[in-house]
Amino acid sequence: MARTERLLSLLQILRRHRHPVAGQLLADELGISIRTLYRDIAALQALGATIEGEPGVGYVLRPGFLLPPLMFSQAELEALILGMRWVSSFADRSLAVAATDALAKIEDVLPPQARDGMGAVPLRVGPPGPAASLTEDLTSLRDAIRRERKLEVRYRGKDGHESRRVIWPFAIGYFTSGRILVGWCELRQDYRHFRTDRLVGTRTLADRYPRRRTTMLREWLKHQSASSPPN
């Protein structure tokens, strides 16, 4: 492994940990000696990385250090390409456009060698399912989630009947067959899943919902069964 790649790998390992990591564990994961690890940490510190710790205690990378632009490995670039192409095909309109723009920006500033290798391995995603409308725009739903605002929705059930609900949205699931808005339903007093293609109308209310979205997400994940169908 080249030294530059090793330094980038060391930074990435440190980013995965919020608490100090023993130097020997870092050296073992990188396949280097402990003396080489100490030199690499010193080199990163000289470049401006705030790595705190000492031999026998462990090392931790404090937030704020930025990598040089677009220092991605080939596998990381392929993961980005595949992910952005998936978003371009399966996400709603605004996210799809954002993914296409982001991929173009990445390609534009890559070093020539990395840019030439972007298409070396064809990475494609399948077509979206019939319910995954490419014209759908979920910007207002994502904004309500970010701001922890209640949503008033008109929802059309499988039988075609429409109901009015006030929900506390906290997640959106993107699937090949469509998208699901997840939230606490005041009418049902429980967590519910709403297919976005059945949302006839939505209105973001001024009221914040009384719980944190991260708390509800953890609670929902804890009780969520993989076989639970959307209502």
Side-chain angles (χ1 to χ4, degrees):
M1 182 186 298
R3 185 166 187 263
T4 300
E5 185 179 352
R6 191 176 70 239
L7 293 176
L8 291 172
S9 297
L10 176 55
L11 278 174
Q12 199 61 33
I13 295 169
L14 288 169
R15 279 196 172 93
R16 294 202 302 260
H17 299 276
R18 295 185 178 181
H19 303 289
V21 188
Q24 191 59 58
L25 291 176
L26 294 171
D28 290 344
E29 184 164 351
L30 291 166
I32 59 178
S33 69
I34 192 70
R35 290 174 62 85
T36 300
L37 175 77
Y38 294 155
R39 288 197 296 268
D40 286 352
I41 287 176
L44 289 173
Q45 290 171 330
L47 291 171
T50 308
I51 301 175
E52 298 178 357
E54 58 186 51
V57 177
Y59 297 92
V60 63
L61 175 66
R62 298 303 179 191
F65 181 67
L66 300 177
L67 284 173
L70 282 301
M71 294 296 288
F72 296 121
S73 69
Q74 192 61 47
E76 289 168 342
L77 277 175
E78 290 173 352
L80 284 170
I81 292 168
L82 184 60
M84 289 183 185
R85 285 177 178 166
W86 193 97
V87 172
S88 296
S89 297
F90 295 109
D92 61 279
R93 184 176 67 237
S94 60
L95 276 187
V97 171
T100 301
D101 290 346
L103 189 59
K105 288 179 181 178
I106 289 174
E107 185 173 0
D108 189 52
V109 296
L110 280 175
Q113 184 177 359
R115 189 186 308 124
D116 293 341
M118 283 185 70
V121 179
L123 300 172
R124 297 291 182 267
V125 295
S133 170
L134 296 178
T135 61
E136 209 170 29
D137 189 344
L138 307 186
T139 301
S140 62
L141 303 186
R142 292 194 299 274
D143 181 64
I145 291 172
R146 277 191 296 267
R147 297 166 58 207
E148 298 184 333
R149 293 295 193 269
K150 293 184 179 182
L151 273 178
E152 183 182 64
V153 304
R154 289 166 50 209
Y155 189 69
R156 185 176 61 249
K158 288 186 291 187
D159 58 0
H161 175 73
E162 287 188 15
S163 62
R164 288 185 178 272
R165 317 271 188 105
V166 173
I167 62 175
W168 309 349
F170 59 85
I172 300 175
Y174 287 82
F175 303 92
T176 56
S177 57
R179 296 122 203 168
I180 301 296
L181 176 66
V182 187
W184 176 268
C185 177
E186 292 187 354
L187 177 66
R188 302 300 184 190
Q189 285 296 293
D190 200 358
Y191 292 114
R192 286 291 187 267
H193 305 158
F194 301 91
R195 281 179 44 170
T196 58
D197 62 319
R198 292 181 182 167
L199 291 172
V200 180
T202 65
R203 183 168 69 93
T204 302
L205 304 180
D207 297 336
R208 290 177 67 104
Y209 44 75
R211 302 185 67 194
R212 299 306 305 268
R213 65 176 184 273
T214 52
T215 301
M216 291 194 294
L217 178 61
R218 286 195 299 267
E219 187 175 279
W220 173 74
L221 288 171
K222 183 177 178 180
H223 296 95
Q224 172 67 13
S225 168
S227 60
S228 295
N231 64 328

